[in-house]
Amino acid sequence: MGVLMSRRQTVEKVQKVSLAVSAFKDGLREQPSTRRRAEAEATRRGTLEQEVQEGEEEASAGPSQPEESSASKAAWARLRDGRGVEPEEFDRANRFTPPAFIRPKRELHDDEPPDISLEQRDQVLNDEMCEICEVWTAESLFPCRVCSRVYHDGCLRRMGYLQNDSAVEVTETAHTETGWSCYYCDNLNLLLTEEEMFSLMETLRHCKIIPETCLTLDDFLHYKHLVHKQQFERPMAEAQEEQAALQFSALDPDKKGHIEWHDFLSHESIQLLQKLRPQNALLRLLTAKERERARAAFLALDQDGDGFIREGECRRAQHGWFRKHQKEMPSCSVSISHVGPMSESSPASSSSSKSQKTPAAAEQEEARPVDWPSFLRENVAYILAARPNSAALHLQPLHA
């Protein structure tokens, strides 16, 4: 009897528990509708508050200020960190991690004249190990024509720095006299310090330049007008606008009607270096290979060996640093026929204005003696501007 009572009590307990569980489940079924309504109302309120806040921010920023997307923020971050464009089509799982880049810093002695002797040669030796994998193999290593670094083509591919188009160029030019610039030397923006880079980014933001986009002639001229007015507080003169148009044509050698972001960034970087640093500081940026090329160029022009060349020869040497582009540009002069007529005061018409001078004055100007230190100072910006592999001229010489 006791056993029967125990079982009945057990059954009653189970039934009570089942009823309690059923009631609890029924309560849960009814509760979510109320909870969902409350959550929906809260979400709606949060969305409305967010929209009002974003509207107030857009109103305060002005109607011309576009909302900065995540892609744009990432582009600004890459520009600040000197990483350049990172194409999305690369398989990152099979890529090496890019090395951390630290922007250079100005030293106290940078403005002092460096000791670059014409007689004392620089010892030019390439590294023995690949810059990326730090391994020496029997495979062919691609040397940089600016610095001493060498690379495996496979390492460059896995880093994403060597694609199908550039692979042919590297293979054909790396071991020739023309040479190939590695991804460090190809990017002139990496020469800027953090302070200089911040100054450039502020200028680009002020002029509403979007990173990693191409610029048309109108975009480029509008940017140059804004920068000139910001710096000098007056409009750009007609001759300066024609000079900017000439530079645009030099940055667009294939006449595509626009300039690539990498070329625009390199041009603005070398312009900023000329503006903020004295020539002695720029001379310290030259590598041993570049100093050797400069010696060879000067000695070839100094045929009588007296240590002087003529000014005309010095100006023509400025074109010589871009000799790697002779296939694309047989002549030194750049056509800007699509830009419009040029005034006589424009730099592009300087040769015609010189021809109007008296023969004695023109000959005297061409014959001004230039020594080795002066040759280096007058050519250092063009030597640096010739580093990129691009066919564009990032600093257009003004004289033929």
Side-chain angles (χ1 to χ4, degrees):
M1 186 71 176
V3 175
L4 292 175
M5 290 294 294
S6 252
R7 288 180 178 176
R8 186 167 57 190
Q9 289 175 354
T10 304
V11 170
E12 289 176 354
K13 287 182 181 179
V14 171
Q15 290 175 349
K16 289 180 181 179
V17 171
S18 300
L19 291 173
V21 171
S22 300
F24 181 75
K25 289 182 177 180
D26 293 338
L28 287 179
R29 291 193 189 97
E30 296 175 359
Q31 188 176 2
S33 60
T34 307
R35 185 186 304 170
R36 288 195 192 97
R37 284 196 297 269
E39 290 177 351
E41 290 176 0
T43 304
R44 202 157 38 238
R45 286 197 300 270
T47 304
L48 290 174
E49 291 174 358
Q50 184 177 2
E51 290 177 355
V52 171
Q53 183 178 0
E54 291 176 352
E56 291 175 352
E57 291 176 354
E58 290 176 359
S60 61
S64 61
Q65 181 72 20
E67 183 180 357
E68 196 169 32
S69 62
S70 58
S72 179
K73 291 179 181 178
W76 282 111
R78 287 193 291 270
L79 176 59
R80 181 188 65 248
D81 299 338
R83 297 199 302 270
V85 181
E86 295 181 0
E88 298 179 355
E89 60 268 16
F90 287 126
D91 183 8
R92 299 183 183 276
N94 296 323
R95 289 178 59 188
F96 291 146
T97 302
F101 177 79
I102 301 177
R103 289 194 173 274
K105 295 183 179 180
R106 295 290 307 277
E107 302 294 341
L108 295 177
H109 65 278
D110 281 353
D111 297 345
E112 300 176 2
D115 184 17
I116 304 178
S117 172
L118 179 61
E119 293 78 17
Q120 185 177 359
R121 307 290 295 273
D122 285 286
Q123 187 176 8
V124 178
L125 294 175
N126 289 326
D127 297 341
E128 294 182 353
M129 295 186 297
C130 174
E131 175 69 17
I132 298 175
C133 67
E134 298 183 350
V135 172
W136 180 90
T137 64
E139 300 176 8
S140 177
L141 292 171
F142 294 114
C144 175
R145 65 183 177 87
V146 177
C147 64
S148 60
R149 302 181 183 95
V150 294
Y151 301 86
H152 293 121
D153 62 338
C155 293
L156 290 172
R157 293 178 188 275
R158 294 191 65 184
M159 286 286 289
Y161 294 122
L162 194 62
Q163 304 180 52
N164 294 333
D165 296 337
S166 57
V168 177
E169 178 184 0
V170 172
T171 305
E172 292 180 349
T173 61
H175 294 285
T176 64
E177 184 180 355
T178 299
W180 162 81
S181 295
C182 69
Y183 55 88
Y184 283 110
C185 302
D186 181 61
N187 189 356
L188 297 180
N189 184 253
L190 299 184
L191 297 175
L192 301 183
T193 63
E194 289 185 2
E195 295 78 10
E196 292 166 343
M197 189 61 227
F198 178 79
S199 174
L200 178 58
M201 289 180 64
E202 285 297 304
T203 302
L204 296 177
R205 286 182 183 272
H206 175 75
C207 299
K208 296 180 174 57
I209 296 295
I210 302 175
E212 302 176 6
T213 57
C214 300
L215 279 78
T216 64
L217 176 60
D218 292 337
D219 297 333
F220 187 75
L221 292 179
H222 180 68
Y223 168 79
K224 288 297 183 181
H225 274 282
L226 290 178
V227 172
H228 187 274
K229 190 172 184 179
Q230 181 184 15
Q231 183 176 357
F232 300 104
E233 298 182 353
R234 64 173 182 271
M236 182 185 292
E238 182 182 356
Q240 294 169 323
E241 181 176 348
E242 291 171 354
Q243 180 179 342
L246 178 64
Q247 181 61 58
F248 178 88
S249 182
L251 291 171
D252 181 26
D254 297 329
K255 301 297 178 288
K256 295 179 293 186
H258 65 267
I259 55 179
E260 303 293 336
W261 168 254
H262 178 78
D263 294 323
F264 171 75
L265 185 60
S266 293
H267 168 68
E268 291 304 308
S269 299
I270 198 70
Q271 291 281 356
L272 190 62
L273 286 173
Q274 287 185 289
K275 174 184 174 183
L276 299 181
R277 297 195 199 181
Q279 287 177 319
N280 289 332
L282 295 181
L283 287 172
R284 294 184 180 275
L285 298 177
L286 297 179
T287 64
K289 292 182 179 180
E290 290 174 323
R291 292 194 295 267
E292 277 300 295
R293 285 198 191 94
R295 286 191 184 92
F298 185 86
L299 293 175
L301 295 172
D302 182 22
Q303 298 183 357
D304 54 5
D306 62 349
F308 292 92
I309 63 174
R310 295 180 298 173
E311 181 184 9
E313 295 172 331
C314 181
R315 287 201 305 268
R316 283 187 285 273
Q318 296 173 359
H319 292 270
W321 307 120
F322 305 105
R323 62 185 180 274
K324 65 179 185 294
H325 307 301
Q326 286 181 353
K327 292 182 180 180
E328 297 86 353
M329 303 174 63
S331 62
C332 294
S333 60
V334 180
S335 172
I336 56 170
S337 56
H338 66 287
V339 174
M342 295 179 293
S343 65
E344 294 181 357
S345 59
S346 68
S349 60
S350 58
S351 59
S352 61
S353 62
K354 284 185 178 182
S355 62
Q356 296 176 3
K357 296 181 180 180
T358 60
E363 184 178 355
Q364 183 178 2
E365 186 176 354
E366 286 282 329
R368 180 181 69 87
V370 177
D371 59 3
W372 165 244
S374 300
F375 175 81
L376 271 183
R377 287 194 300 269
E378 295 180 20
N379 283 270
V380 60
Y382 298 98
I383 298 175
L384 295 174
R387 286 184 177 186
N389 295 307
S390 169
L393 299 189
H394 301 93
L395 193 62
Q396 169 66 15
L398 301 179
H399 305 284

